[in-house]
């Protein structure tokens, strides 16, 4: 059962435009969400996060929006740059009763920003 | 570089052999995680340490897999009698307590031939 889903395997946008990456989750107990960026043959790099008590968090060109009622979050990149081309993973913190802080990841969306 | 460090970065092994990966977390991070990533999928949780105690293991971690963190600093992940299905990237991550960002290493690629 995929608790975190990124339904778009790929996205292509023009340089300077907005990139919107989407993520849906099923577990209403998730309390913290993160976005990671990954280049081939490298580990994921943390981008931005949001607590479930907020609906928006902004950091430079990156903004994450959280809609708890819809169990949906999105990452906006404005303006998109060719260096943003990578795989983007949405992740949710699943503490459960054990307080491990482990993350549940989506399948990833490959973003290509064309010059 | 004070990030999470993993070694080796790449390992090719024959089926049936044992392999061991090492992870050095960010200094003073008390939480350490191992994840596995296969092509086209997101990272999947394998196991978690708080200091030297292994507190949770995923069902993905069969009895051929063992992880240790003997002094609460570096960790090792050993895979015994490797199978072709073990081919994946093994990612180590660390964080300082809960409620904080988890930082990943570069990963260790395993290819079982």
């Amino acid at each position: 059962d995929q608790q975190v889903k990124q339904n778009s395997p790929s996205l292509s946008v023009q340089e300077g435009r907005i990139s919107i990456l989407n993520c849906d989750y099923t577990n209403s107990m998730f309390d913290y969400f993160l976005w990671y960026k990954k280049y081939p043959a490298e580990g994921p790099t943390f981008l931005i996060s949001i607590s479930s008590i907020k609906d928006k968090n902004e950091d430079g060109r990156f903004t994450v929006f959280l809609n708890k009622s819809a169990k949906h979050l999105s990452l906006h990149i404005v303006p998109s740059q060719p260096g943003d081309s990578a795989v983007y993973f949405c992740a949710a913190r699943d503490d459960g009763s054990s307080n491990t802080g482990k993350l549940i990841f989506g399948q990833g969306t490959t973003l290509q920003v064309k010059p | 570089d004070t990030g999470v460090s993993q070694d080796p970065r790449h390992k090719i092994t024959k089926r049936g052999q044992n392999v061991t990966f090492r992870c050095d977390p960010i200094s003073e991070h008390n939480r350490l995680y191992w994840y596995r990533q296969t092509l086209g999928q997101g990272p999947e949780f394998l196991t978690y340490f708080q200091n030297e105690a292994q507190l949770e293991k995923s069902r993905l971690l069969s009895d051929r897999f063992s992880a240790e963190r003997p002094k609460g600093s570096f960790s090792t992940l050993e895979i015994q009698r490797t199978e072709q299905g073990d081919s994946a990237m093994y990612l180590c991550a660390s964080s300082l307590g809960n409620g904080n960002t988890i930082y990943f290493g570069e990963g260790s690629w395993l290819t079982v031939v």
Side-chain angles (χ1 to χ4, degrees), chain B:
Chain B
D1 188 347
T2 56
V4 179
S5 177
Q6 293 189 242
D7 183 71
R9 293 291 315 279
H10 299 89
K11 179 73 176 178
I12 300 174
T13 190
K14 291 184 178 180
R15 189 176 53 181
Q17 298 295 304
N18 299 343
V19 296
T20 299
F21 299 111
R22 177 183 168 118
C23 170
D24 288 273
I26 294 172
S27 179
E28 298 180 356
H29 277 194
N30 58 341
R31 293 187 171 216
L32 186 146
Y33 305 83
W34 285 99
Y35 284 78
R36 181 174 70 185
Q37 185 179 13
T38 53
L39 209 59
Q41 299 296 319
E44 296 173 291
F45 171 80
L46 290 179
T47 190
Y48 153 70
F49 290 85
Q50 178 153 320
N51 300 312
E52 66 274 9
Q54 187 175 18
L55 298 183
E56 186 168 339
K57 293 194 289 187
S58 162
R59 288 173 299 172
L60 294 174
L61 216 64
S62 76
D63 56 6
R64 296 184 296 105
F65 288 71
S66 63
E68 294 182 344
R69 194 183 183 197
K71 297 182 180 178
S73 56
F74 75 91
S75 174
T76 57
L77 176 68
E78 181 184 16
I79 309 173
Q80 296 182 326
R81 305 180 304 281
T82 52
E83 302 173 355
Q84 286 187 323
D86 297 332
S87 296
M89 175 181 262
Y90 290 85
L91 292 159
C92 179
S94 70
S95 72
L96 181 60
N98 200 12
N100 289 286
T101 303
I102 294 177
Y103 294 93
F104 283 83
E106 299 281 337
S108 293
W109 273 108
L110 173 65
T111 302
V112 181
V113 297

Side-chain angles (χ1 to χ4, degrees), chain A residues 19-46:
Chain A
S19 296
I20 300 176
L21 298 103
N22 294 302
C23 178
D24 297 294
Y25 61 96
T26 57
N27 189 339
S28 58
M29 298 302 292
F30 289 153
D31 66 343
Y32 196 68
F33 302 89
L34 306 90
W35 284 94
Y36 286 85
K37 174 181 177 181
K38 186 178 183 302
Y39 293 115
E42 293 185 8
T45 302
F46 170 73

Side-chain angles (χ1 to χ4, degrees), chain A:
Chain A
D1 180 27
Q2 192 79 23
Q3 296 189 71
V4 179
K5 295 182 182 180
Q6 294 176 255
N7 292 316
S8 297
S10 62
L11 175 68
S12 181
V13 300
Q14 206 66 35
E15 180 179 6
R17 300 291 188 108
I18 184 172
S19 296
I20 300 176
L21 298 103
N22 294 302
C23 178
D24 297 294
Y25 61 96
T26 57
N27 189 339
S28 58
M29 298 302 292
F30 289 153
D31 66 343
Y32 196 68
F33 302 89
L34 306 90
W35 284 94
Y36 286 85
K37 174 181 177 181
K38 186 178 183 302
Y39 293 115
E42 293 185 8
T45 302
F46 170 73
L47 267 180
I48 192 169
S49 61
I50 187 167
S51 165
S52 60
I53 62 173
K54 294 186 175 181
D55 55 17
K56 177 182 175 181
N57 188 26
E58 190 172 353
D59 183 3
R61 296 186 298 114
F62 302 93
T63 303
V64 56
F65 295 92
L66 175 62
N67 182 335
K68 283 186 66 177
S69 61
K71 295 191 180 67
H72 176 85
L73 65 156
S74 61
L75 174 68
H76 293 211
I77 307 173
V78 181
S80 302
Q81 299 173 354
D84 296 329
S85 298
V87 180
Y88 288 78
F89 289 99
C90 167
R93 187 169 68 189
D94 177 15
D95 262 356
S97 59
S98 58
N99 197 29
T100 65
K102 73 182 181 187
L103 299 178
I104 308 296
F105 283 84
Q107 310 95 306
T109 296
T110 300
L111 173 65
Q112 183 185 27
V113 180
K114 298 179 179 178

